[in-house]
Amino acid sequence: MKVLLFIIATMLIHSSGLMAQDPIRVGSKLFNESVILGEIITQSIENAGFDVEYSDQLGGTRILWNALLTDELDIYPDYTGTIVFELLGETEPLTIAEINRKIEVFGIQITNTLGFNNTYALGMRMDHAEDLGIEAISDLREHPELNFGFSNEFLNRADGWPGIQSTYNLDGSNVTGLDHDLAYRGLENENIDVIDLYSTDAEIDYYELKVLEDDFGFFPDYAAVIVYRSDLNKDVQKLLGNLEFTINEADMISMNADVKLKGIDDEIVAYRFLNGIFGIEITHQSDNRSDRLKETTIDHLILVGVSLALAILLAIPLGIAAFQFKKIEQLILSMVGILQTIPSLALLVFMIPLFGIGTIPAMAALFIYSLLPIVRNTHSGLVSMNNGLKESAVALGLPKSVILKKIELPLALPSILAGIKTSAVINVGTATLGALIGAGGYGQPILTGIRLDDTALILEGAIPAAVLALLAQWFFDLIEKRFSYPT
Amino acid sequence: MIKVRNITKKYGATIALQDVTLAVKKGKTVALIGPSGCGKSTLLRIMLGLVEPDSGQVEINEALLSKESALEIRQQVGYVIQKGGLFPHLTAYQNCALLPKHLKTSKDEIEERLQELCDLTGIEIGDLSKYPSQFSGGQQQRISLMRALMMDPPILLLDEPLGSIDPLVRYDLQSDLKDIFKRLNKTVVLVTHDLGEAGFLGDEIVLMNQGQIIQKGTIQSIVKHPNNEFVSQFVKAQRNHLEEIE
Ligand SMILES: Nc1ncnc2c1ncn2[C@@H]1O[C@H](COP(=O)(O)OP(=O)(O)OP(=O)(O)O)[C@@H](O)[C@H]1O
Ligand SMILES: [Mg+2]
């Protein structure tokens, strides 16, 4: 119990911060470009002397947008197209001024473009395009012999191939659908001539590709902008303004390539960029693997330990109540059952309006997930008690509460422990998703590893998580042995 | 003293007991006997309030059995079931000490009582730290009997207490039981399948069939003057094969 209180206390101190001035809270999405932009924003604000708390690689647009709405975050980078189509549900593009008028009511504003557009585009090998004299998409009409290899999503989206084909009146006889990574390789070994890509993909430089000009203006703008709360400190707003029109497509492509293909740290890439433009000097301390592992382990243990402990404290009484009061038995069992059917990611997102982002909402979600196995096993362990034993217990003349404490619960203990063990193992695994809402833990290196295509980094999260699951299992086996009796 | 009046109990379409009335006087032993499924165990359970009858009343030592009085009544009754009903997660000692501890009996008193009961049942006192599964079936039943006798209850309800005990031990235990009942002046209802055992232990024998009492009386009256064809069949079926050899 003391340990638990200590953990909760440290956690609260940790999450509330002891600084006099609230830090500026920056977020970013799960992919490289967003993480780099978030890093650039963070460092340029930090450089002006503000405290910044950067929650990188959060689980998706909705999570970030909601975090801004609920005052859990102040700033994150996004794209005009995403805001217009995905968040506002518009069907026609809007200008930045129009967007700002629409989102004013939410207490949110966006900056002007950072200087580049990350939208769908068509690309070819540079030398091939030069040979054929192709500069723009409309030039493709002269070359019906070219092979097109498109990602399946692009093939099917109205704002993808079908729209391009009719707008530019292109021949569609040589089109195949394939995986995006395979498309680059197909292009390299000349099986494919034209592919779809994002206009700031890291691979554009690496494979020496030419991005064809969208000369009919078919693809909507996905201009990179910074989204921020209107009540953000005015000086910080000015700093964000300084970043407008500073990054062009070529800059972004090369920064993406630095991170994804050359394996340079996001922080360093961002720092080099800022240093080049503003002459910003920041002493960069890169953390080593063992420090990082220690940090993710502590985060993960706190996530799992607190959520599981609280779940045990609630679930065992619930299981007992379901056993003792027939009227609420089904209600309790089906309620915890239904909670379990909510997809984990959805549950995490539901927690944001209630608890914001970070450790607390992740803990709440894990807590909910841990209930069912313990409730169910407590209940079934009590129900399955041998009739003769039950009868002997009652016949002795012991009151119900004593029978429960001295006989029923001890006899149900193996089943209860098995439930806790199941919860613990599920919990350790699910807790890796906590990184999607900024809770840290072993999910952090896994997400980064996936983003950077870095297997070693993925294993840095996956292996300790597996070990922890085994340790949890072993620990509860030990407890079970401690309470076992000859049979 | 036990009084059971007009008890009827149905399980769905099965009639377990039909209008059963029975009285056991203080200090007397009644042996319930009858074919399997005739309602013997059900009658015992109803006497303890473990099963609620559809109609009828139970009175134990002048007190009417009800939800409110059940706990107190049970503490005055020792109950031993067929398979012993020992709690497997508790040692023999802990099994026996459950109720005394709940009633705040001191440790010294508990140990003193256990020593007496061990002498009575022939269990080694040192073995009490073992778990039920580490005893034989017969030893388990003796420990179960010790548990029932711990608080020296005036009434004992025993459901086939010697069910799984070998003939030699059984023979000895039958004498011991009779001795215990009489010496301690217990009021006893005992279920058995063996007419000889019923005759030896019971002051009165109650023969049941299909939820009803068919004949009550001493062993002599039942063997010599059977009420009907069922009783004579039942007595005949109990004849020892050894007798036929002579
Ligand atoms: N909980 C129950 N639910 C349904 N039927 C029951 C239940 N308990 C007993 N019965 C039925 O009631 C009848 C009497 O059962 P009871 O256990 O009293 O018989 P018994 O005389 O003790 O038999 P045995 O000598 O085999 O122990 C049987 O037909 C039995 O199937
Ligand atoms: Mg029976």
Side-chain angles (χ1 to χ4, degrees):
Chain A
M1 208 52 207
K2 269 193 191 134
V3 175
L4 190 69
L5 287 176
F6 171 77
I7 292 172
I8 293 174
T10 6
M11 195 181 72
L12 289 176
I13 292 167
H14 199 73
S15 64
S16 66
L18 285 171
M19 298 110 186
Q21 199 186 1
D22 285 342
I24 309 292
R25 298 151 307 170
V26 179
S28 67
K29 300 193 202 183
L30 252 180
F31 51 92
N32 286 321
E33 188 166 301
S34 189
V35 175
I36 297 167
L37 292 175
E39 200 55 69
I40 289 175
I41 295 167
T42 300
Q43 290 184 21
S44 58
I45 301 174
E46 258 171 1
N47 186 56
F50 291 92
D51 258 325
V52 182
E53 198 177 277
Y54 181 27
S55 310
D56 64 350
Q57 49 190 22
L58 298 174
T61 305
R62 282 274 156 205
I63 289 180
L64 285 149
W65 181 257
N66 285 336
L68 232 63
L69 283 178
T70 54
D71 200 8
E72 287 293 331
L73 281 181
D74 297 307
I75 305 168
Y76 82 95
D78 211 334
Y79 304 92
T80 51
T82 311
I83 297 168
V84 171
F85 304 117
E86 206 175 312
L87 291 172
L88 299 177
E90 300 286 330
T91 47
E92 293 299 322
L94 301 174
T95 66
I96 286 176
E98 285 167 335
I99 293 173
N100 269 331
R101 272 198 294 281
K102 284 215 179 243
I103 61 176
E104 211 178 345
V105 293
F106 302 121
I108 294 178
Q109 289 288 282
I110 62 174
T111 61
N112 213 324
T113 173
L114 297 178
F116 69 91
N117 202 356
N118 181 1
T119 184
Y120 270 133
L122 298 187
M124 297 179 68
R125 283 195 320 280
M126 188 77 82
D127 54 343
H128 196 198
E130 272 165 13
D131 285 351
L132 299 177
I134 296 176
E135 284 283 340
I137 298 177
S138 59
D139 296 333
L140 292 173
R141 269 183 302 204
E142 315 296 322
H143 301 278
E145 78 285 356
L146 293 176
N147 288 318
F148 294 178
F150 294 141
S151 66
N152 291 314
E153 192 195 349
F154 184 76
L155 265 182
N156 295 319
R157 278 172 66 140
D159 58 351
W161 170 244
I164 280 281
Q165 187 182 18
S166 63
T167 305
Y168 285 93
N169 195 17
L170 296 177
D171 178 62
S173 47
N174 299 322
V175 176
T176 37
L178 76 175
D179 179 80
H180 201 56
D181 283 331
L182 291 180
Y184 285 115
R185 254 167 259 159
L187 207 58
E188 198 176 24
N189 55 35
E190 307 191 6
N191 292 328
I192 295 168
D193 305 306
V194 181
I195 66 168
D196 63 298
L197 38 76
Y198 290 107
S199 50
T200 54
D201 272 354
E203 287 82 356
I204 292 172
D205 269 3
Y206 181 80
Y207 290 100
E208 294 176 20
L209 304 186
K210 176 163 189 63
V211 177
L212 304 185
E213 190 195 335
D214 180 15
D215 48 345
F216 288 5
F218 171 75
F219 292 118
D221 259 4
Y222 275 76
V225 294
I226 300 173
V227 189
Y228 60 94
R229 288 180 59 82
S230 315
D231 59 12
L232 180 66
N233 180 311
K234 288 283 174 290
D235 295 333
V236 178
Q237 289 193 26
K238 205 181 278 161
L239 291 171
L240 298 183
N242 289 344
L243 290 170
E244 291 169 358
F245 301 104
T246 53
I247 309 168
N248 63 28
E249 267 97 357
D251 294 334
M252 198 64 239
I253 290 170
S254 103
M255 285 194 281
N256 281 336
D258 281 349
V259 170
K260 181 167 182 189
L261 303 174
K262 296 187 192 148
I264 304 173
D265 204 86
D266 327 302
E267 288 176 48
I268 296 174
V269 171
Y271 163 69
R272 282 184 191 161
F273 170 80
L274 288 171
N275 182 269
I277 295 207
F278 302 111
I280 286 177
E281 296 280 354
I282 292 178
T283 45
H284 173 268
Q285 79 263 36
S286 91
D287 47 8
N288 62 26
R289 178 161 295 201
S290 75
D291 282 352
R292 209 163 50 208
L293 188 62
K294 207 163 97 191
E295 197 172 310
T296 53
T297 302
I298 290 171
D299 284 351
H300 210 85
L301 281 175
I302 291 176
L303 272 181
V304 171
V306 175
S307 61
L308 188 66
L310 294 177
I312 292 171
L313 288 182
L314 179 67
I316 293 180
L318 273 181
I320 295 172
F323 163 68
Q324 289 202 316
F325 308 109
K326 289 280 166 269
K327 273 194 192 129
I328 52 169
E329 182 179 17
Q330 278 317 312
L331 182 75
I332 290 177
L333 292 179
S334 43
M335 282 252 293
V336 289
I338 287 168
L339 288 177
Q340 196 79 2
T341 62
I342 305 172
S344 37
L345 197 53
L347 192 59
L348 284 172
V349 175
F350 290 155
M351 291 298 142
I352 293 177
L354 298 174
F355 301 109
I357 57 169
T359 307
I360 305 281
M363 249 175 215
L366 290 172
F367 162 78
I368 288 174
Y369 263 130
S370 300
L371 290 176
L372 178 71
I374 307 175
V375 172
R376 207 172 39 195
N377 275 39
T378 304
H379 172 261
S380 70
L382 290 168
V383 164
S384 67
M385 185 173 145
N386 177 307
N387 276 333
L389 293 182
K390 172 104 199 177
E391 196 179 298
S392 300
V394 177
L396 268 181
L398 294 171
K400 255 186 150 175
S401 57
V402 176
I403 294 179
L404 183 70
K405 196 173 137 210
K406 299 271 182 182
I407 296 163
E408 289 173 323
L409 281 176
L411 284 173
L413 191 69
S415 172
I416 297 173
L417 281 174
I420 295 176
K421 194 159 60 180
T422 309
S423 279
V425 172
I426 293 176
N427 196 318
V428 169
T430 313
T432 56
L433 292 178
L436 289 171
I437 56 170
Y442 293 138
Q444 199 71 27
I446 294 178
L447 288 185
T448 312
I450 293 172
R451 174 166 69 80
L452 300 177
D453 210 354
D454 180 342
T455 312
L457 208 50
I458 294 175
L459 292 179
E460 193 182 307
I463 291 174
V467 171
L468 187 60
L470 285 174
L471 280 177
Q473 192 145 354
W474 172 78
F475 175 70
F476 287 108
D477 282 342
L478 215 67
I479 293 186
E480 200 178 333
K481 218 175 248 155
R482 165 76 185 70
F483 284 102
S484 72
Y485 48 85
T487 47
Chain B
M1 188 203 31
I2 305 167
K3 277 186 186 152
V4 164
R5 271 193 295 271
N6 307 104
I7 295 284
T8 296
K9 175 70 189 173
K10 296 195 184 96
Y11 288 110
T14 313
I15 300 174
L17 292 172
Q18 191 171 10
D19 201 23
V20 171
T21 298
L22 180 69
V24 187
K25 291 208 186 76
K26 188 165 170 20
K28 296 291 178 198
T29 300
V30 161
L32 283 181
I33 194 162
S36 191
C38 71
K40 306 182 294 291
S41 296
T42 304
L43 186 55
L44 249 53
R45 289 191 186 110
I46 284 174
M47 288 176 178
L48 270 173
L50 300 175
V51 166
E52 227 179 306
D54 299 335
S55 61
Q57 292 179 330
V58 176
E59 215 180 89
I60 305 274
N61 285 342
E62 322 278 272
L64 198 63
L65 178 65
S66 66
K67 278 219 161 61
E68 292 70 39
S69 65
L71 214 57
E72 208 171 315
I73 284 180
R74 285 172 192 151
Q75 291 173 4
Q76 300 169 37
V77 179
Y79 179 61
V80 176
I81 60 168
Q82 214 158 338
K83 292 253 149 48
L86 292 173
F87 306 116
H89 66 296
L90 302 177
T91 62
Y93 180 98
Q94 291 169 323
N95 263 282
C96 292
L98 258 180
L99 182 62
K101 268 196 179 153
H102 172 64
L103 297 176
K104 308 262 188 295
T105 312
S106 76
K107 200 172 171 229
D108 289 346
E109 275 178 275
I110 290 176
E111 287 184 352
E112 198 178 317
R113 180 76 183 140
L114 276 171
Q115 184 62 60
E116 282 170 33
L117 291 172
C118 278
D119 293 345
L120 201 67
T121 55
I123 293 284
E124 290 287 333
I125 186 112
D127 282 350
L128 290 183
S129 59
K130 293 205 284 190
Y131 285 87
S133 65
Q134 296 168 318
F135 291 98
S136 74
Q139 288 170 322
Q140 287 180 30
Q141 280 195 311
R142 279 184 270 173
I143 292 161
S144 186
L145 194 65
M146 285 172 59
R147 185 174 71 184
L149 289 168
M150 279 303 285
M151 297 309 293
D152 199 14
I155 296 175
L156 288 173
L157 302 181
L158 311 176
D159 197 343
E160 303 185 40
L162 305 180
S164 56
I165 297 182
D166 79 78
L168 281 176
V169 176
R170 190 185 174 103
Y171 191 84
D172 285 345
L173 261 180
Q174 283 170 345
S175 318
D176 290 346
L177 276 182
K178 188 164 178 163
D179 193 43
I180 293 169
F181 297 166
K182 291 306 163 200
R183 206 146 45 91
L184 305 177
N185 197 27
K186 301 291 182 201
T187 308
V188 182
V189 179
L190 168 135
V191 174
T192 175
H193 272 119
D194 178 18
L195 193 55
E197 183 172 290
F200 177 70
L201 290 171
D203 300 307
E204 186 177 45
I205 291 177
V206 172
L207 178 58
M208 294 179 63
N209 191 28
Q210 298 186 337
Q212 288 179 301
I213 295 178
I214 305 296
Q215 188 168 354
K216 281 192 264 200
T218 59
I219 180 83
Q220 287 81 7
S221 71
I222 285 179
V223 174
K224 298 269 160 56
H225 312 289
N227 265 357
N228 56 25
E229 185 57 17
F230 167 76
V231 181
S232 35
Q233 279 299 319
F234 188 84
V235 171
K236 204 172 131 200
Q238 293 265 342
R239 280 255 155 71
N240 197 319
H241 290 295
L242 280 175
E243 291 171 21
E244 288 158 20
I245 294 170
E246 288 164 20

